Amino acid sequence: MALIRAHLSANDANAPASFMTDHPARPRIAIAGASGFIGTALCPLLAERFEVIALTRSPARAQTPDPAGLIQWRQCDLFCSSALVDGLADIDYAVYLVHSLAPSSRLTQASPRDMDLVLADNFARAAAANGVKQIVFVSGVMPESFRFSPLLWSRREVEMVLGSRGTPVTALRASLVMGPGGTGPRLLLDLVRRLPLLLLPPAAGSVTRPIALSDLLRAILHCLGQPERFRGAFDIGGAESLSYEAMLRETAAALGLRRRFVKVPVLPVGLASLTARAISGAPAAMVGAIVESLPQDTRMRDNPVQQAIEPQALGFRAALEASIDPATRRLLPSPRQRLKEQDREVMREQSLVRSIQRAIQPPGQDAAWLAGNYFRWLGDCCWPLVRSQVDDDGHVEVWSRLPRLRMLRLRHMTRESTPERQIYEIAGGLLARPGEGRARFEFQTLLDGRYTMTAIHDYAPAIPWYLYILTQAVAHRLVMRRYQSRLARLAR
């Protein structure tokens, strides 16, 4: 933190004058994803210049007061549009640090890419509804070729979605971020520490430009409050460009370890991901996404943000040393690490389900059409086991035929629904556990009608958990795949 503050002092001359005064009416800034490793370092720095509202989905983090009393922590479910509108009330600027690689429910039937789209669209809508003046988003540097990894393409989609509702967006495109608690540096350290022999595929020679966490924070502070000047995407990086092989060798040197590096003609991504997961213990989705995104050459485009941070930017070795505990030579832990187990325990106790699927929207249609079409089609899809009925108010009931039992009852939330978003509360039925959160089925159109996201949020199954996983969860996945195929045919 001392290093970060030293870097910031060198950049204070570039900050807007209104932020450098002691005027009591300081701008209010919301940080989404504030409990991550970037957000944890950013919050106290912003609190020196802004009134900071830190949004987190972690109940454990929200219930832990800020020791200095400078940061207002607020639990906010970014999957809930109404909660997010309330969370961004009276906010001037926002920093968006959210990703979906970490679990948010006990069972999640969704790809991180699809969850990222839903979260970004919710945030963009809430920001527009509250008149937020700027969103700063930490994205990823795009490769020179047109071969995007799923992780990098997801970051690009999020950029587009955040900017689709009219709020000015500043996208800071960074490569590997080196800092305490970061998954990228953790993978490097664990691989070098635990493997005496490291196999290097040809892609290990790909060149990128890692950035120190302190330099990324300087870039964020440099852009905040200036949406007219910094609207669009800006590549940012550290002091040097180097290959992944060079980073591994530098890591071994920093740890004082002798390692053998052997170049191989091919190394499947799946095998590399499996090895990295076994070595680091990080979640499979997170490791796989990071490993897939590594073997790509990136070339930074010069821009005013990079010019501002470059004179004091750290090189890879210095950034790595600043991330390591000098006594143990291990990565400094993220301050949130002690809260993760509490969050996992809450998820186990609640036993809620989230399921999100991306559907291609037929031309000329909207979420209202798609919702009505889905519920009427459901009975045909599941004949002769199930039938569905929609009443004049749009409420839906799903019945089994033999025996005749009401399995689910969905109440159409008319006031909260729009042509672009249809919301149904899962209000009852034999398959739903009553009184557990706000279970709902949503249809959400985004990217100018390109996709509709069909999503079940906070659903509490009534049947025993593992029986649900083997039966109802499988059935829902199959039904949604069939409906995705149906919409794809209609869109042709």
Side-chain angles (χ1 to χ4, degrees):
M1 186 62 71
L3 177 61
I4 294 174
R5 293 186 185 279
H7 275 199
L8 288 172
S9 63
N11 207 45
D12 278 347
N14 297 313
S18 61
F19 297 167
M20 300 304 296
T21 68
D22 294 327
H23 194 280
R26 298 191 300 171
R28 300 188 82 204
I29 182 167
I31 307 177
S35 56
F37 97 99
I38 297 175
T40 301
L42 180 62
C43 282
L45 300 176
L46 287 177
E48 298 174 1
R49 307 179 182 187
F50 298 88
E51 183 180 346
V52 176
I53 308 298
L55 305 179
T56 178
R57 69 185 177 199
S58 166
R61 172 61 266 194
Q63 294 166 12
T64 304
D66 175 43
L70 299 175
I71 301 166
Q72 180 184 342
W73 283 92
R74 182 180 298 171
Q75 186 179 359
C76 183
D77 180 7
L78 270 64
F79 284 106
C80 180
S81 57
S82 59
L84 195 47
V85 169
D86 294 339
L88 292 183
D90 301 320
I91 294 297
D92 296 299
Y93 307 103
V95 179
Y96 191 80
L97 303 172
V98 177
H99 64 74
S100 301
L101 296 177
S104 60
S105 296
R106 187 175 181 183
L107 175 64
T108 300
Q109 292 179 312
S111 71
R113 287 180 57 198
D114 292 345
M115 289 190 288
D116 280 338
L117 279 193
V118 170
L119 292 170
D121 190 56
N122 287 350
F123 197 85
R125 290 172 188 263
N130 284 288
V132 174
K133 301 171 188 175
Q134 180 189 24
I135 299 173
V136 176
F137 169 54
V138 177
S139 185
V141 176
M142 300 299 145
E144 293 185 274
S145 70
F146 290 99
R147 298 179 61 185
F148 284 74
S149 72
L151 177 61
L152 289 180
W153 181 244
S154 174
R155 298 290 86 187
R156 181 69 184 97
E157 285 186 320
V158 171
E159 286 181 24
M160 293 188 290
V161 171
L162 287 175
S164 65
R165 306 294 174 183
T167 304
V169 173
T170 302
L172 299 176
R173 293 178 173 176
S175 181
L176 181 66
V177 180
M178 301 296 298
T183 302
R186 175 183 169 188
L187 284 177
L188 287 174
L189 287 165
D190 286 345
L191 287 172
V192 170
R193 180 180 292 108
R194 300 178 184 178
L195 295 179
L197 173 67
L198 289 101
L199 303 180
L200 303 176
S206 299
V207 175
T208 189
R209 195 164 179 176
I211 184 170
L213 176 60
S214 58
D215 293 324
L216 173 60
L217 300 184
R218 289 196 298 123
I220 293 173
L221 285 171
H222 183 72
C223 297
L224 267 174
Q226 302 185 78
E228 301 83 4
R229 184 181 175 193
F230 296 111
R231 187 168 188 167
F234 302 88
D235 295 343
I236 57 173
E240 57 189 332
S241 297
L242 65 169
S243 68
Y244 297 101
E245 177 183 352
M247 285 191 277
L248 288 168
R249 292 183 181 276
E250 286 279 0
T251 302
L255 295 178
L257 298 174
R258 298 184 63 182
R259 291 294 181 256
R260 186 179 180 190
F261 299 87
V262 177
K263 296 182 179 181
V264 295
V266 64
L267 184 63
V269 171
L271 178 60
S273 299
L274 184 64
T275 302
R277 182 194 174 194
I279 292 297
S280 69
M286 185 177 294
V287 171
I290 291 173
V291 171
E292 278 189 324
S293 70
L294 293 182
Q296 303 181 59
D297 276 312
T298 55
R299 181 168 61 93
M300 287 184 43
R301 289 165 288 275
D302 191 35
N303 61 80
V305 182
Q306 179 63 22
Q307 292 169 9
I309 68 171
E310 194 162 25
Q312 293 84 33
L314 296 178
F316 174 81
R317 182 67 174 268
L320 180 64
E321 291 285 359
S323 306
I324 297 176
D325 186 328
T328 64
R329 307 305 293 167
R330 294 180 180 273
L331 188 70
L332 290 166
S334 168
R336 187 191 168 188
Q337 189 65 38
R338 60 186 176 82
L339 301 173
K340 287 185 177 180
E341 185 54 41
Q342 297 180 42
D343 292 337
R344 284 192 287 265
E345 183 61 32
V346 170
M347 284 189 280
R348 283 193 295 266
E349 290 178 358
Q350 292 178 336
S351 293
L352 300 181
V353 175
R354 192 179 316 282
S355 178
I356 301 174
Q357 290 77 36
R358 180 190 312 216
I360 298 175
Q361 184 167 294
Q365 306 299 344
D366 56 20
W369 174 88
L370 194 144
N373 181 268
Y374 170 79
F375 287 121
R376 289 175 174 84
W377 167 86
L378 184 61
D380 296 334
C381 169
C382 299
W383 189 90
L385 301 176
V386 170
R387 70 179 181 90
S388 58
Q389 61 185 48
V390 183
D391 66 20
D392 293 339
D393 295 321
H395 306 319
V396 180
E397 291 186 347
V398 180
W399 294 74
S400 62
R401 292 182 180 271
L402 290 174
R404 188 174 183 277
L405 300 171
R406 185 169 65 182
M407 311 305 291
L408 288 171
R409 179 168 58 88
L410 292 86
R411 185 169 64 90
H412 187 216
M413 309 293 289
T414 307
R415 292 186 178 180
E416 297 183 32
S417 297
T418 67
E420 289 189 327
R421 189 189 202 106
Q422 295 290 301
I423 304 176
Y424 294 81
E425 179 188 6
I426 302 176
L430 292 177
L431 295 179
R433 195 165 75 238
E436 297 288 342
R438 191 193 177 198
R440 58 200 185 278
F441 197 165
E442 297 189 6
F443 298 81
Q444 180 175 348
T445 297
L446 41 76
L447 285 178
D448 296 323
R450 186 180 307 174
Y451 302 115
T452 290
M453 314 303 291
T454 60
I456 292 177
H457 296 296
D458 300 332
Y459 173 63
I463 62 179
W465 181 254
Y466 291 104
L467 179 61
Y468 167 81
I469 292 176
L470 296 173
T471 56
Q472 188 181 345
V474 174
H476 175 73
R477 185 186 298 114
L478 295 175
V479 167
M480 295 313 301
R481 284 180 180 174
R482 288 191 62 182
Y483 194 61
Q484 285 174 304
S485 298
R486 169 183 169 82
L487 290 179
R489 290 193 299 271
L490 293 175
R492 290 173 186 169

